[in-house]
Amino acid sequence: MHIDSIDAFDSVYRRGHEQVVFCADRPTGLRAVIALYSTALGPGLGGTRFHPYPSTAAAVADVLDLSQAMAYKNALAGLDHGGGKAVIIGDPDRDKSEPLLLAYGRFVESLAGRYVTACDVGTSVADMDVIARESRWVTGRSEADGGAGDSSVLTALGVVQGMRAAAQARWGTPSLAGRLVGIAGVGKVGRAVTPLLLEDDAEVVVTDVDPAAVAALRRRHPAVRVAETTDKLLAEPLDVYSPCALGGALTQAVIGTLNSGSIICGGANNQLAEPSCADAMLARGILYCPDYCVNAGGVIQVADELHGFSFPRARARAEKIFDTTLEVLRVADREGISPSVAADRLAERRMAEVSGLRRIHLP
């Protein structure tokens, strides 16, 4: 697989990443990239994505985006971690194997704690248990293996806490009762968001490219309505739109279809198709909750695992996403900027202030 090394280095220099590591193991077929955006606040923490990228260049572009987003997410969540991410190139259904995961674990271990991995799209708790056989720097493991298990529960809790904060800012109450919420993607997070919304007496309509996922959700929650496509979901009079699938869901076209005065708050990473989409939402009066602010529940959980996991402690911290989101929205309103810019500024301020303490040498 060909990659232009000059372009790769230019991307790293331009974005300001500390380190990018290519991991290749011919016997197992492993082709992976680990990116560390910043370790100013501590070891880079972020999941491993297993995805059939069309090219190495596409994989590098994604891991650079994801690792930078993790730095901002961890900073805004108040964690003592920098931003890191990894991608494994391949089809997880076809290419994933025990030897490949073990080889990958050795590469993670070789970074000596600068990078701590966890689950992401295409990887599971069971995969983390395998990787952990070769590396100490693995979170998101099963409870049987000393870990915290599936992190989607607290990710979903954080997303709903973000919605409640946005409701408070927009409608003067944190309740979602009677509000129509559209969820695009009912995988791990979207599936877990649904019952929390129903408990708050919201009306929920969902869509997903996987009919089996929708059918499974409907069996558990028959009150949920189904839209055949994302376009049909967006045509609903949504109060809240919740993108919970892959990134890039918020395009100019999508923003143009949503009601003025609505809220966007979802679990997907890197939701903005382009930076200008943040300004487009601001201009249309759509209240956007930055993705890395509201979907931090999962990383809060796996970070807690490094200190001897306590679910009540991690849940309490994830519930504070309500306060963080409200602060982001208040700063945005006060300064006349988009919530995306407000979140970035708050995260950057913490990275600058805390990393400055490194000037005080500790033995």
Side-chain angles (χ1 to χ4, degrees), residues 262-285:
S262 60
I263 291 167
I264 298 179
C265 181
N269 287 314
N270 298 332
Q271 293 171 19
L272 302 183
E274 54 187 17
S276 62
C277 290
D279 293 327
M281 286 184 282
L282 183 63
R284 293 205 63 237

Side-chain angles (χ1 to χ4, degrees), residues 118-337:
C119 301
D120 198 79
V121 175
T123 58
S124 66
V125 169
D127 296 334
M128 294 305 111
D129 285 349
V130 175
I131 295 168
R133 285 157 49 189
E134 291 291 342
S135 177
R136 296 162 289 172
W137 311 109
V138 182
T139 60
R141 293 167 294 140
S142 68
E143 295 178 60
D145 202 45
D150 185 7
S151 63
S152 62
V153 173
L154 290 189
T155 303
L157 175 64
V159 170
V160 175
Q161 288 293 88
M163 287 185 196
R164 294 178 67 248
Q168 176 68 54
R170 173 118 297 175
W171 302 310
T173 173
S175 173
L176 295 165
R179 302 293 179 181
L180 178 59
V181 182
I183 303 175
V186 288
K188 291 180 181 179
V189 176
R191 182 172 63 238
V193 164
T194 301
L196 298 177
L197 294 174
L198 294 174
E199 289 170 11
D200 205 16
D201 293 325
E203 182 184 354
V204 179
V205 56
V206 306
T207 192
D208 197 288
V209 295
D210 182 2
V214 174
L217 184 72
R218 284 273 293 136
R219 284 194 295 270
R220 297 188 65 180
H221 307 289
V224 170
R225 292 195 294 111
V226 178
E228 293 180 1
T229 64
T230 301
D231 286 343
K232 290 185 177 180
L233 177 74
L234 292 168
E236 297 265 356
L238 301 177
D239 295 301
V240 182
Y241 175 48
S242 185
C244 290
L246 293 176
L250 299 180
T251 64
Q252 295 286 354
V254 166
I255 293 165
T257 65
L258 291 169
N259 293 329
S260 177
S262 60
I263 291 167
I264 298 179
C265 181
N269 287 314
N270 298 332
Q271 293 171 19
L272 302 183
E274 54 187 17
S276 62
C277 290
D279 293 327
M281 286 184 282
L282 183 63
R284 293 205 63 237
I286 295 171
L287 193 60
Y288 174 57
C289 300
D291 45 48
Y292 72 82
C293 172
V294 301
N295 67 14
V299 75
I300 287 170
Q301 175 169 318
V302 296
D304 192 272
E305 187 178 318
L306 294 170
H307 305 285
F309 183 63
S310 164
F311 185 80
R313 179 176 62 201
R315 180 186 175 92
R317 191 160 199 169
E319 287 175 342
K320 293 180 181 178
I321 289 174
F322 178 96
D323 300 317
T324 304
T325 307
L326 203 57
E327 176 64 11
V328 167
L329 298 178
R330 284 172 176 165
V331 168
D333 183 62
R334 183 173 66 243
E335 299 185 11
I337 56 179

Side-chain angles (χ1 to χ4, degrees), residues 79-95:
L79 299 176
D80 295 327
H81 285 281
K85 202 78 174 187
V87 297
I88 298 176
I89 303 170
D91 183 341
D93 294 329
R94 185 189 66 228
D95 301 323

